[in-house]
């Protein structure tokens, strides 16, 4: 069986670790994490890559619904296998067989998200260079006024110390409470190895992704 993975670079550390653990040697098409900022651009880029493939049986997505960015995709060249979860954050925080409850008033971070060129930390540093520290802090206090916590997710795919300092810097400058939460890789492992149960959307070749495909997350009705 010839399968291909389309993955967000935000999950690069996590997916590479799972591929090593499982011995998976599928081809991976990496897409920039910044596409999350615009679901329409994400959908267009995903569709372009789906359409470009040939001789492929299944396309495995290291993505969730991602702000409806995957809704509307057409399985033009192969079957699509998509985790039935809201986004990359819920994918690494959910637990098998449990309904995922996203913590309220929380901004989530991983090493991959911190390293993106459009990460919130890089945006903060850019604001300082453009407006000065006082105005930049005031702008970010307004941006984060509805948040109480900054959560750094320890997925086990990287050394937490490598990004803890960046998370602390951002928490200090936004006046948020920094918390570290343990994540997991079970969703990605199951994506590569199966079997595909209610935690996955299976769209056969010729079909189209709809909002109804994302009726479950983490094993329970959403």
């Amino acid at each position: 069986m010839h399968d291909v993975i389309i993955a967000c670079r935000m999950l690069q550390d996590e997916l590479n670790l799972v591929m090593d653990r499982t011995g998976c040697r599928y081809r991976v098409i990496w897409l920039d994490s910044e596409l999350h900022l615009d679901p329409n651009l994400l959908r267009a880029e995903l569709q372009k890559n789906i359409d470009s493939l040939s001789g492929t049986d299944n396309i495995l997505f290291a993505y969730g619904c991602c702000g409806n960015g995957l809704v509307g995709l057409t399985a033009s060249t192969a079957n699509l296998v998509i985790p039935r979860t809201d986004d990359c954050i819920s994918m690494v925080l959910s637990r098998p067989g449990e309904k995922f409850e996203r913590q309220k008033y929380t901004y989530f971070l991983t090493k991959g998200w911190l390293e993106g060129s459009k990460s919130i930390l890089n945006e903060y540093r850019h604001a300082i260079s453009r407006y000065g520290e006082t105005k930049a802090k005031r702008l970010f206090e307004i941006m984060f006024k509805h948040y109480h916590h900054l959560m750094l997710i320890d997925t086990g795919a990287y050394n937490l110390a490598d990004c803890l300092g960046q998370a602390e810097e951002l928490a200090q400058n936004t006046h948020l409470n920094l918390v570290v939460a343990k994540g997991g890789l079970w969703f990605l492992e199951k994506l590569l190895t199966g079997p595909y149960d209610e935690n996955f959307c299976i769209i056969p070749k010729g079909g189209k992704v709809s909002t109804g495909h994302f009726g479950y997350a983490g094993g329970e009705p959403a």
Side-chain angles (χ1 to χ4, degrees):
M1 185 172 289
H2 185 198
D3 293 351
V4 172
I5 302 169
I6 298 181
C8 176
R9 282 203 179 276
M10 193 182 85
L11 291 171
Q12 187 165 354
D13 292 308
E14 289 76 13
L15 184 57
N16 282 340
L17 176 58
V18 170
M19 291 181 72
D20 287 342
R21 285 179 178 175
T22 61
C24 174
R25 295 295 178 263
Y26 297 147
R27 174 191 172 196
V28 182
I29 300 172
W30 296 104
L31 298 185
D32 289 340
S33 59
E34 287 76 13
L35 290 168
H36 278 95
L37 300 175
D38 188 331
N40 293 322
L41 285 178
L42 174 60
R43 186 183 305 109
E45 189 66 21
L46 289 169
Q47 190 65 61
K48 182 176 74 173
N49 280 277
I50 293 170
D51 295 344
S52 71
L53 295 172
S54 61
T56 301
D57 295 304
N58 301 297
I59 304 173
L60 315 181
F61 285 81
Y63 281 92
C65 187
C66 296
N68 287 334
L70 275 73
V71 173
L73 291 178
T74 299
S76 57
T77 57
N79 305 319
L80 310 183
V81 181
I82 307 171
R84 189 170 276 157
T85 185
D86 291 338
D87 52 27
C88 302
I89 296 301
S90 54
M91 194 185 305
V92 298
L93 277 179
S94 63
R95 299 179 183 276
E98 296 181 10
K99 183 178 179 181
F100 175 67
E101 296 285 352
R102 187 181 293 269
Q103 186 170 326
K104 295 180 179 180
Y105 313 116
T106 302
Y107 192 93
F108 300 91
L109 296 172
T110 65
K111 178 174 176 285
W113 193 243
L114 278 167
E115 290 177 343
S117 62
K118 295 292 185 180
S119 73
I120 194 66
L121 182 59
N122 283 336
E123 289 296 307
Y124 178 75
R125 291 170 175 170
H126 175 71
I128 289 178
S129 66
R130 184 174 181 180
Y131 302 114
E133 186 170 355
T134 300
K135 188 174 181 179
K137 284 187 175 181
R138 189 160 59 245
L139 287 172
F140 271 68
E141 285 174 2
I142 294 171
M143 285 174 56
F144 283 89
K145 66 180 181 179
H146 297 300
Y147 292 95
H148 299 163
H149 307 286
L150 189 68
M151 179 182 288
L152 177 61
I153 305 170
D154 180 7
T155 64
Y158 47 82
N159 185 350
L160 199 66
D162 291 343
C163 51
L164 189 58
Q166 293 174 307
E168 289 172 341
E169 176 187 347
L170 184 59
Q172 180 179 358
N173 290 321
T174 54
H175 303 291
L176 298 179
N177 175 44
L178 178 63
V179 294
V180 177
K182 186 65 178 176
L185 302 177
W186 73 274
F187 237 134
L188 289 173
E189 290 175 354
K190 202 160 188 176
L191 176 67
L192 299 189
T193 64
Y196 300 127
D197 53 19
E198 70 274 7
N199 291 294
F200 292 87
C201 314
I202 311 296
I203 294 86
K205 184 177 178 180
K208 192 169 185 176
V209 182
S210 70
T211 54
H213 284 112
F214 294 95
Y216 290 83
E220 294 292 336

